[in-house]
Amino acid sequence: LPSSAGFVVGHAGLYQALAMFAVAYFIIGMTVLSVCAIATNGALDAGGAYYMISRALGPEFGGSIGIMFFLANVCGSALYVLGLVEAVVDSFGIPPGQEMGTGVHVLPQSYWYELLYGTVLLALCLLVCLVGASIYAKATFLIFLIVAAVLGTILVSFFATRPLRVPIRLPHFNGTETDNGFFSGFSLDTLRDNLGGGYAVDYTTGQMMSFSSVFAVMFNGCTGIMAGSNMSGDLKRPSYSIPRGTISAVLFTYLVYNLLAFLMCATCNRILLQKDYGFLRDISIFPPLVTVGIYAATLSAAMSNLIGASRILYALARDDLFGRALALAKKTSASGNPVMAVILSWLVVQVVLFSGKLNTIASVVTTFFLLVYATVNLACLALEWASAPNFRPTFRYFTWHTCLLGIAGCCVMMFLISPVSASASLGFLLLLLLALHYLSPSSTWGYISQALIFHQVRKYLLMLDVRKDHVKFWRPQMLLMVQNPRGSARLIDFVNDLKKSGLYVLGHVELQDLDMLPSDPLQPQQDSWLSLVDKLNVKAFVSLTLAPSVRHGVRQLLFTSGLGGMRPNTLVLGFYDDEAPQDGLAQHPAFTSAREEVPLGFPPLRAPTTPKLLSAREYVGIVADALKMLRNVLLARQLESLDKAWELRRAASPPPTIHVWPVNLLRPDSARYADTCSLFLLQMACVLNMARAWRRARLRLFLCVEAGTMPHAQEEKLRQLLKDLRIQAQIQLVPWDAITRLHWQTCRGPPGGRAEEEEEEEGVVNFPTNTTQVSDEYVCAANKLVLEQSPAPAVRFLYLPRPPADTSLYPLYLHQLELLTRGLGPTVLVHGVSAVTSTQL
């Protein structure tokens, strides 16, 4: 502590030194507040800052920062060992230029000799750490007493020592160079000379010093404030000890640094401060005690970083974030001391010792520590912003402002100290984040991202005002009813393409009575449905309900699904027919490579002879209910036969097509192309074509024309409509005189009669009454007309008429839909009730 203060003051001067201390301790102070808040919010285990960050920000952030913090402590330990070697060699080394030592100066000086001294000192630290935390605590307390005595002696020496000249021997390229430092005692002239900066060459490294490099060295002397939190697993009451011990240490060291800086500036000239980092021995009233104190303090810091690194490595290994790579570090002694983690940490420190000079690695260590401090502040900030009820630390002297200031201070100082080191550290952190995100197992710690997302989503949902909806920004919000996902895998994927960044809900109705059950049967199923969503890679929510009938269940979901301005506006149903359901889930690529033989926990499909859960009348009633509730309706038939991958992988010429029939084929007497339903059908086909997987497909729009009705004028009018709607589609004229003739033969009157007067008005619930007037012969002819259009498309969109008002006609209505779509392959029947297209900017 005192020697680093002399280094800082000698190069930076009093004003800049005080500024450095203020900046460093501002960053440390903000971080300490965050550490205290997290430490008092629950039980702490081994790992200190790593444990806090991982449990707050999740395994990705925790694991990556854990590695960074481990490396910071490792490099910090090497830094202190090298500093101790430098002090030992300065005291007992043979002066440069001499072959033989005299007196106490007997230690040879060279790179390899200094590496040997560092190895011996590191081995001493290893022995203490291998014994365990209890001996380490006793050793550090003894060292604390020694350092306190030394500090007292130094403070007395500034007042008691008389002015004296201090000879300084400096290494030079052709031998040694001698200079004289001067201790003046308290002198106004000396103080005045030391007020401003005077950066010079560091005699240990030969590098020119600057504000950033001096700050980097100085900041390493302040990183010991995390030593207490690193020992969180060995403390009896970490939530009590960490705040009190850490805050006391910060206040005490800040005051001592400032006091020493002032005393040094007022008594020592700049040559003494810059060229003799061990000058305190020369001016002390008892020099040996200062030497012992410097050795003890540096050794304590090296041990602190070594044992801190081992505890972080042990915590990382125990959490299994890196799998077998750190399995060895899990092994502990009978007393619980992680001996293998200590040995591995020692090996890494030994490797770092090869760097040689302490100021060489100072900027890297400082960058790592600043990054860890920034992340501790980020963890506390995230917990505070998430506003989770369980975040209620007993330490309350912090706000999100202090966290934000701590993050900003750390980031700014990182780049000021060394832009290269800061950029490299952030890049390394990003690589670790990505690796852990994709490779690490999921944890049960809880993810702060989920709490933050919830907080923000709730806020924005409240801002999403349905009264401000506009047709320009309409998007489909789907509710797909699924009886059993085994028979609906491709339909689920198809509707995912149709949603166009809108809401997508998978609905399911369980036919049971909660009064007759001991507990909710839907809760155990929830995980299976969510796993299904993950494996199919669809962006959907899941909504399950209990009801006495499917129709009641669908009503419940239509009323209650969604929240605020995000509610389903379109109901999607599979088609009601007699085809045996096929298990598409077992053959789906997402499940064919899975280990489990039966994917997820869904029951087997209904056998062809097993009665259905709902009747034809109830099925049509669901469609009618949705239209009454002003929901658009899509009926999907044979979508399980749609092999999207094969369709879109076909040869580029010709590309796959999407056939669109925007006319009500079951009501030729009122056929038109510009009603709400037709425009909605066009919109849905266009939305599908906009999906990434369907962009190669081409829209083909079929215009049904009769003789004598100026087909080219109709085609031009439709082409202009498509141009206004910015829909690119090929228009194909289809004569259907023969088809409509079949219809009029079964009707009592010609076109323009009562049937046309009963056309639907937009926005009005009006059930057509001509269902009985359409013959099966006509419907089969319309089906043949659609089927004959070649080449065969990937999917067809047809107009879905409203169900009849008379519920007794529901089976006939469904029969006509079945005839119309029979054999067509993947087909979507569409009925829209709301305006969804816009020609405005």
Side-chain angles (χ1 to χ4, degrees), residues 483-702:
Q483 179 187 346
N484 190 333
R486 292 185 182 279
S488 309
R490 288 181 174 172
L491 175 58
I492 292 171
D493 183 60
F494 178 79
V495 177
N496 186 61
D497 291 335
L498 267 181
K499 71 180 187 309
K500 186 54 181 173
S501 303
L503 178 68
Y504 184 17
V505 180
L506 297 181
H508 172 71
V509 180
E510 193 77 16
L511 299 182
Q512 295 192 56
D513 186 355
L514 192 58
D515 290 337
M516 303 296 151
L517 299 171
S519 62
D520 181 8
L522 300 179
Q523 291 299 324
Q525 299 182 28
Q526 192 78 20
D527 285 345
S528 293
W529 283 87
L530 293 175
S531 297
L532 173 78
V533 168
D534 292 340
K535 290 196 174 186
L536 292 181
N537 196 26
V538 295
K539 298 176 181 177
F541 297 95
V542 173
S543 188
L544 312 178
T545 188
L546 284 176
S549 69
V550 176
R551 186 174 182 181
H552 280 87
V554 176
R555 281 180 185 170
Q556 290 175 20
L557 292 176
L558 285 172
F559 276 125
T560 61
S561 290
L563 198 62
M566 293 188 68
R567 291 185 179 277
N569 56 27
T570 304
L571 174 67
V572 186
L573 302 172
F575 197 78
Y576 191 95
D577 55 25
D578 295 325
E579 292 184 15
Q582 301 295 321
D583 192 345
L585 209 58
Q587 285 79 39
H588 196 280
F591 297 95
T592 51
S593 60
R595 294 178 183 176
E596 49 190 358
E597 295 180 2
V598 181
L600 306 176
F602 300 111
L605 288 170
R606 174 183 61 84
T609 55
T610 306
K612 298 180 181 180
L613 295 177
L614 76 166
S615 64
R617 186 185 298 269
E618 189 179 7
Y619 176 82
V620 180
I622 292 172
V623 176
D625 290 343
L627 296 177
K628 286 180 183 178
M629 298 164 69
L630 297 182
R631 303 296 202 278
N632 311 298
V633 176
L634 273 61
L635 304 183
R637 185 171 193 187
Q638 293 187 352
L639 260 296
E640 288 306 303
S641 66
L642 172 63
D643 189 346
K644 185 176 74 172
W646 181 84
E647 288 286 353
L648 303 177
R649 224 178 21 241
R650 289 191 305 181
S653 180
T657 57
I658 300 171
H659 285 190
V660 183
W661 295 79
V663 64
N664 188 351
L665 295 173
L666 293 185
R667 196 169 177 188
D669 54 336
S670 64
R672 57 179 179 175
Y673 291 92
D675 66 354
T676 300
C677 187
S678 297
L679 293 176
F680 180 81
L681 189 150
L682 278 173
Q683 180 82 321
M684 295 311 298
C686 180
V687 164
L688 180 65
N689 195 206
M690 291 169 71
R692 178 175 298 180
W694 291 87
R695 283 177 186 167
R696 282 190 58 251
R698 296 290 179 264
L699 290 180
R700 293 184 69 191
L701 190 61
F702 294 91

Side-chain angles (χ1 to χ4, degrees), residues 8 11-22 194-199 210-211 215 218:
V8 173
H11 287 283
L14 181 61
Y15 291 153
Q16 292 188 39
L18 294 179
M20 287 184 187
F21 297 146
N194 288 329
L195 289 178
Y199 296 101
S210 62
F211 181 92
F215 181 86
M218 183 276 299

Side-chain angles (χ1 to χ4, degrees), residues 282-302:
D282 302 318
I283 67 170
S284 173
I285 57 175
F286 188 50
L289 185 60
V290 175
T291 302
V292 171
I294 292 173
Y295 294 172
T298 314
L299 192 65
S300 170

Side-chain angles (χ1 to χ4, degrees), residues 224-469:
I225 58 109
M226 296 296 278
S229 62
N230 288 344
M231 298 292 294
S232 56
D234 300 295
L235 298 173
K236 290 182 180 179
R237 296 171 59 193
S239 60
Y240 175 86
S241 304
I242 288 175
R244 285 161 178 78
T246 308
I247 292 174
S248 301
V250 169
L251 293 176
F252 178 74
T253 53
Y254 180 63
L255 291 174
V256 170
Y257 262 127
N258 282 275
L259 179 61
L260 286 174
F262 175 76
L263 294 175
M264 290 173 181
C265 282
T267 58
C268 304
N269 75 343
R270 180 148 283 166
I271 293 176
L272 182 61
L273 294 172
Q274 287 184 347
K275 298 185 178 181
D276 184 7
Y277 298 156
F279 71 95
L280 290 174
R281 285 191 307 272
D282 302 318
I283 67 170
S284 173
I285 57 175
F286 188 50
L289 185 60
V290 175
T291 302
V292 171
I294 292 173
Y295 294 172
T298 314
L299 192 65
S300 170
M303 282 193 297
S304 171
N305 279 270
L306 179 60
I307 201 167
S310 68
R311 295 310 189 263
I312 296 163
L313 187 64
Y314 172 65
L316 283 166
R318 199 173 60 174
D319 287 338
D320 279 327
L321 295 183
F322 295 89
R324 296 180 181 178
L326 297 180
L328 191 63
K330 291 183 185 179
K331 296 184 179 180
T332 63
S333 64
S335 60
N337 186 33
V339 288
M340 290 309 300
V342 172
I343 292 172
L344 291 173
S345 302
W346 166 74
L347 285 173
V348 181
V349 176
Q350 184 64 57
V351 171
V352 177
L353 285 181
F354 282 91
S355 64
K357 296 297 182 180
L358 72 97
N359 289 354
T360 306
I361 58 174
S363 61
V364 177
V365 178
T366 301
T367 302
F368 279 6
F369 272 112
L370 282 169
L371 196 56
V372 172
Y373 291 173
T375 313
V376 170
N377 284 302
L378 178 64
C380 190
L381 178 68
L383 289 169
E384 178 71 7
W385 273 356
S387 300
N390 282 322
F391 182 62
R392 43 178 185 269
T394 55
F395 182 87
R396 297 300 306 165
Y397 301 103
F398 78 101
T399 67
W400 65 268
H401 304 86
T402 60
C403 303
L404 210 55
L405 287 171
I407 295 170
C410 290
C411 294
V412 169
M413 290 314 301
M414 273 172 54
F415 284 94
L416 281 180
I417 290 169
S418 175
V420 175
S421 296
S423 302
S425 300
L426 288 173
F428 183 52
L429 175 65
L430 185 61
L431 286 175
L432 286 172
L433 275 170
L434 292 174
L436 285 171
H437 179 72
Y438 289 107
L439 301 177
S440 70
S442 59
S443 71
T444 57
W445 307 334
Y447 293 82
I448 190 65
S449 58
Q450 295 298 303
L452 288 170
I453 290 168
F454 177 90
H455 186 70
Q456 291 302 108
V457 166
R458 181 193 62 85
K459 182 169 70 175
Y460 286 117
L461 271 176
L462 290 171
M463 296 169 64
L464 193 60
D465 192 344
V466 292
R467 295 167 295 185
K468 296 179 181 177
D469 281 349

